[in-house]
Amino acid sequence: MTGDELNLRVDALTTQTRRFKALIGDFFRLEFKRVRPKWGPYEVVIQIERCENSPVHDVDNVAKAVLDALTGVVFHDDSQVERLLVTKVMGERPRISVTARPMASAKVSEIA
């Protein structure tokens, strides 16, 4: 956590979206006990890294699992997310990187 911005990297992927959601949710409940969810609009950026032999994930399923895990920790409800960017790239190892921040501190970027 940096101010109101959350940066998270999960160095693992599982083919079971429910398991992934539970793992992230448990992590937040244990590590961020004193963090209170906030109101207002949010931007969430998710990058899914995969290797040649790693399982293929649907970006919408990963996004749903991440947003569900952040609900009640970062924001009160995932309906507060007004901007969501999910990308899937080839990388060094299977992992997911997540940035969640209030829209007031989010920089607007144009996608060409």
Side-chain angles (χ1 to χ4, degrees):
M1 292 288 288
T2 306
D4 287 336
E5 181 173 304
L6 167 78
N7 291 290
L8 170 71
R9 188 179 78 204
V10 180
D11 286 331
L13 284 178
T14 175
T15 56
Q16 299 174 346
T17 304
R18 279 184 292 186
R19 177 113 172 92
F20 178 72
K21 176 182 164 183
L23 287 172
I24 293 178
D26 290 346
F27 169 77
F28 279 117
R29 280 184 281 289
L30 292 172
E31 299 297 324
F32 291 86
K33 290 178 184 176
R34 297 175 192 249
V35 175
R36 298 280 186 242
K38 298 198 173 29
W39 291 106
Y42 271 81
E43 172 185 55
V44 178
V45 178
I46 303 168
Q47 180 173 295
I48 306 163
E49 275 187 60
R50 59 180 301 271
C51 299
E52 199 169 302
N53 296 325
S54 62
V56 178
H57 292 82
D58 294 339
V59 294
D60 60 324
N61 291 339
V62 172
K64 181 65 175 152
V66 168
L67 294 179
D68 286 349
L70 296 179
T71 298
V73 177
V74 175
F75 37 75
H76 289 277
D77 189 81
D78 61 4
S79 66
Q80 292 173 244
V81 177
E82 293 188 3
R83 183 179 303 135
L84 175 64
L85 175 63
V86 185
T87 56
K88 187 176 1 178
V89 298
M90 294 301 284
E92 298 174 11
R93 61 178 293 166
R95 76 174 110 207
I96 296 177
S97 300
V98 178
T99 299
R101 61 184 159 240
M103 290 290 288
S105 65
K107 294 179 182 144
V108 176
S109 61
E110 292 194 25
I111 300 172

